[in-house]
Amino acid sequence: EVQLVESGGGLVQPGRSMKLSCAASGFTFSSFPMAWVRQAPTKGLEWVATISTSGGSTYYRDSVKGRFTISRDNAKSTLYLQMNSLRSEDTATYYCTRDAGSGWGQGVMVTVSS
Amino acid sequence: DIVLTQAPLSVSVTPGESASISCRSSKSLLSSKGITSLYWYLQRPGKSPQLLIYQMSNLASGVPDRFSSSGSETDFTLKISKVETEDVGVYYCGHRLEYPWTFGGGTKLELK
């Protein structure tokens, strides 16, 4: 069974940084591209970033380019999202997803507020 | 960016009846490999989304065959036959044709 468990969320001040982690199990992590998708309170789904199986290719939505970094450690079956220069509009539940959404974590809430 | 427009915004269905949700793309979702990059997800209340359909018409693992999807290169329909209480939630279409990946705005399914 695919399991994805996010951690690292919470309350952070604007301009500060936060790093999310996603521990994967139940499948061969290194064989799948991984992604982060977020959902602002009462809003729809918004893709944030994707990383290839090796980590050699990464893709970001324009609003987070230069501020967020997606990475992975295949030896630890863990996905990361380093978020810098956080803004109030980054407030959302962040989901770790496998490939095109064939597995989702439970989500972790990130609140950016002073 | 590819814009996905879902209709209706909400639908109310009697249990046992059928429901259909539309998703229209601003661009063809047919890839150069001949795959239509359209996905359907269900987000039940208070839960994470789950994949229902991939590549326009393929049922994801564990999804009951009451769910089906069809379409062209730009117009797609998710059909739910014999709606059950567990089908309540928000349905999203999404594409993976190119970056940025985008989602439709969602369609809320409720029971009468």
Side-chain angles (χ1 to χ4, degrees), chain B residues 43-106:
Chain B
Q43 186 172 30
R44 295 187 173 101
K47 301 295 185 182
S48 302
Q50 67 171 98
L51 179 67
L52 296 175
I53 302 285
Y54 63 96
Q55 295 172 2
M56 189 177 74
S57 60
N58 298 288
L59 211 58
S61 176
V63 176
D65 60 9
R66 300 183 292 99
F67 291 88
S68 62
S69 172
S70 60
S72 63
E73 296 182 17
T74 58
D75 288 89
F76 309 94
T77 301
L78 175 71
K79 183 175 180 180
I80 312 162
S81 61
K82 300 178 182 177
V83 169
E84 299 183 3
T85 54
E86 66 178 21
D87 300 336
V88 166
V90 180
Y91 290 79
Y92 295 95
C93 59
H95 81 84
R96 301 291 178 260
L97 183 70
E98 60 190 30
Y99 294 102
W101 295 352
T102 58
F103 294 90

Side-chain angles (χ1 to χ4, degrees), chain A residues 15-19 64 66-69 81-87 90:
Chain A
R16 303 298 290 267
S17 299
M18 177 174 279
K19 187 172 186 176
V64 308
R67 299 189 300 122
F68 289 14
T69 302
L81 185 66
Q82 175 68 47
M83 304 183 292
N84 299 330
S85 303
L86 282 160
R87 306 168 180 167
D90 296 318

Side-chain angles (χ1 to χ4, degrees), chain A residues 35 37 39 43-47 50 59 95 99-102 104-106, chain B residues 1 39 41 43 47-51 92 96 99-105:
Chain A
V37 173
Q39 185 171 36
K43 301 296 184 183
L45 302 174
E46 182 176 83
W47 169 78
T50 295
Y59 309 89
Y95 295 101
D99 199 7
S102 56
W104 294 71
Q106 84 285 359
Chain B
D1 298 1
Y39 298 75
Y41 306 88
Q43 186 172 30
K47 301 295 185 182
S48 302
Q50 67 171 98
L51 179 67
Y92 295 95
R96 301 291 178 260
Y99 294 102
W101 295 352
T102 58
F103 294 90

Side-chain angles (χ1 to χ4, degrees), chain A residues 16-38:
Chain A
R16 303 298 290 267
S17 299
M18 177 174 279
K19 187 172 186 176
L20 305 182
S21 300
C22 171
S25 61
F27 65 101
T28 304
F29 181 73
S30 59
S31 296
F32 290 85
M34 297 293 294
W36 290 96
V37 173
R38 67 186 180 185

